Amino acid sequence: MNKLQGTIIKGIGGFYYVDAAGAVYECKARGVFRKKRITPLVGDFVTISVNENAENTIDEIHERKNYLNRPPVSNIDNLIIVISTTEPKPNFLVADRLIANAECKNIEPVIAISKGDISPSDDVKSVYAKSGIKVISLDENGAIDELSALMKGKTTAFTGNSGVGKSTLLNRLDPTLNLSTAPISQKLGRGRHTTRQAELFKVCGGFVVDTPGFSSFDFEKDEQIPKDELAYCFREFREYLNTCKFSTCSHTGDKGCKICEAVDSGKISKIRHDNYIALYKAASAINEWEMK
C-alpha cells in the first residue's frame, strides 16, 4: 500500500479520479465519509491509498479553501470573467455579480477583455480601473503570457456570456486543445450538457474547471451574499467602510455615506456602485431562512 496526496479531477458513479504523483488513480471514498455525510468534490485535495490487490481509496479530504454547489467544485483560485467589447455587449451587472460572489468565496476575480481588436476596450477598462481587480486586454501584447502566469499552479474557472470568446481564449492558452465553439466537454468525451458535474484538466501548469457549456456558474440562493456583507465584496469600497455618518448605512444613498461621496468625486465607478445597489436590493428581497 502506498499513500499519496493529490487532487480529485473527476467523479463518476461513485468513483473518483485523483491526479497524484504524475498519474491518475481511480479511487473509492471510504465509508466514513458517507457516515459523516461528506461528499468528495472535484478540486478536493486528498490523501489516497494505492493498493496492488484491492481498490484504491480516498482516506482523507483536506480542508477546503472554498466550494460551490453548482457546479460542485472546490478550491478554486481564480475566476476569469471574459467580457467582450461587442457582440455581445458587456453586461456589467452580471460581471459584478460574479465578481462579488468570487470575492465572497475567496476566489480571485480577473477581467479578461475580448474583441478589443473589433471595438476599443477603453469603456470596459474604465469601469474597473479603480476597482483593484486585475484587467487584461486580450488583444494587447503579452496578455496571454500574463494570464498563463496567473494560472500556473492554480485552479482556474472561466465564465462569460455565450459568444464572448472563451474557446478562442483557451485555444490561445493551449493550442493542443484545438477547440471549436463547442464546449470543452466534447474534447473530454462527453455529450453536450449531459452532466452538471465539474471536471479538471491541465492547462498552463495548473488546472482549469470544465463545466457544461463552460459558463455554468449558477450561484443559488444558498450561495447568495447577505446584504450586510455585500459591500465587503466590492474591494474599492473597503477603505470607506465604517467611516459613514451612520453605522447602519447601506451605501445606497444614505445621508453621510462616504462611499456615495467617493462615487460623486469619481474615486469609485458609478456603474459599479449602481450595480452594487441593484445587488443590494435583490439581496434585501431574499429572506434569511432562504439562504440557510
Side-chain angles (χ1 to χ4, degrees):
M1 183 176 67
N2 190 19
K3 292 273 190 178
L4 297 174
Q5 293 192 359
T7 303
I8 298 177
I9 61 171
K10 181 170 60 174
I12 299 177
F15 289 93
Y16 299 92
Y17 297 84
V18 178
D19 184 283
V24 176
Y25 297 90
E26 182 182 84
C27 303
K28 292 282 284 186
R30 287 194 178 276
V32 65
F33 298 118
R34 184 170 58 253
K35 291 178 181 178
K36 293 181 178 180
R37 297 184 179 180
I38 298 173
T39 301
L41 296 178
V42 168
D44 276 345
F45 304 131
V46 296
T47 298
I48 64 173
S49 291
V50 179
N51 303 289
E52 290 186 6
N53 301 315
E55 65 184 9
N56 305 321
T57 59
I58 296 175
D59 301 334
E60 182 181 358
I61 298 173
H62 300 287
E63 184 177 358
R64 292 166 178 162
K65 172 183 177 180
N66 52 50
Y67 68 92
L68 300 177
N69 289 319
R70 192 163 64 175
V73 62
S74 68
N75 297 317
I76 298 176
D77 297 300
N78 302 315
L79 179 64
I80 310 298
I81 302 164
V82 185
I83 301 177
S84 64
T85 60
T86 183
E87 296 180 3
K89 293 181 179 180
N91 187 326
F92 294 116
L93 178 58
V94 170
D96 285 339
R97 180 171 177 257
L98 287 165
I99 291 168
N101 277 280
E103 298 275 24
C104 184
K105 292 284 185 177
N106 195 26
I107 300 170
E108 182 66 24
V110 178
I111 301 294
I113 307 174
S114 65
K115 304 186 182 180
D117 55 332
I118 300 174
S119 180
S121 59
D122 294 345
D123 288 348
V124 179
K125 286 181 178 179
S126 66
V127 173
Y128 297 101
K130 300 175 182 178
S131 67
I133 297 167
K134 182 174 284 294
V135 177
I136 299 174
S137 296
L138 299 175
D139 62 311
E140 294 181 356
N141 292 333
I144 296 302
D145 289 341
E146 184 178 6
L147 195 52
S148 296
L150 288 175
M151 295 169 62
K152 187 175 181 179
K154 305 287 187 180
T155 297
T156 300
F158 286 71
T159 190
N161 289 340
S162 178
V164 296
K166 294 184 295 294
S167 293
T168 299
L169 172 56
L170 281 156
N171 280 332
R172 292 177 67 188
L173 288 164
D174 186 351
T176 64
L177 290 172
N178 194 28
L179 298 177
S180 67
T181 55
I184 288 174
S185 301
Q186 292 187 3
K187 178 176 176 60
L188 297 178
R190 299 202 300 251
R192 184 182 178 91
H193 300 299
T194 58
T195 176
R196 294 221 40 109
Q197 296 299 312
E199 185 169 342
L200 303 185
F201 64 101
K202 290 184 175 180
V203 174
C204 297
F207 288 112
V208 166
V209 182
D210 175 37
T211 64
F214 212 67
S215 58
S216 305
F217 286 83
D218 185 1
F219 294 99
E220 299 171 294
K221 282 184 177 179
D222 61 350
E223 290 178 334
Q224 290 286 347
I225 304 166
K227 64 180 182 180
D228 294 336
E229 298 176 17
L230 184 62
Y232 292 91
C233 299
F234 283 68
R235 59 177 67 176
E236 66 269 47
F237 290 11
R238 293 173 190 168
E239 65 177 289
Y240 304 102
L241 296 175
N242 302 316
T243 65
C244 298
K245 184 175 182 179
F246 300 106
S247 61
T248 56
C249 185
S250 66
H251 318 298
T252 60
D254 308 47
K255 184 178 179 180
C257 176
K258 295 300 181 182
I259 289 174
C260 291
E261 290 178 9
V263 174
D264 292 339
S265 65
K267 295 178 180 177
I268 291 176
S269 162
K270 185 177 186 305
I271 290 175
R272 285 271 289 167
H273 186 246
D274 286 347
N275 290 340
Y276 163 79
I277 293 173
L279 294 173
Y280 186 90
K281 289 179 178 178
S284 298
I286 300 175
N287 295 314
E288 287 188 14
W289 62 266
E290 292 182 275
M291 296 185 181
K292 296 180 180 180

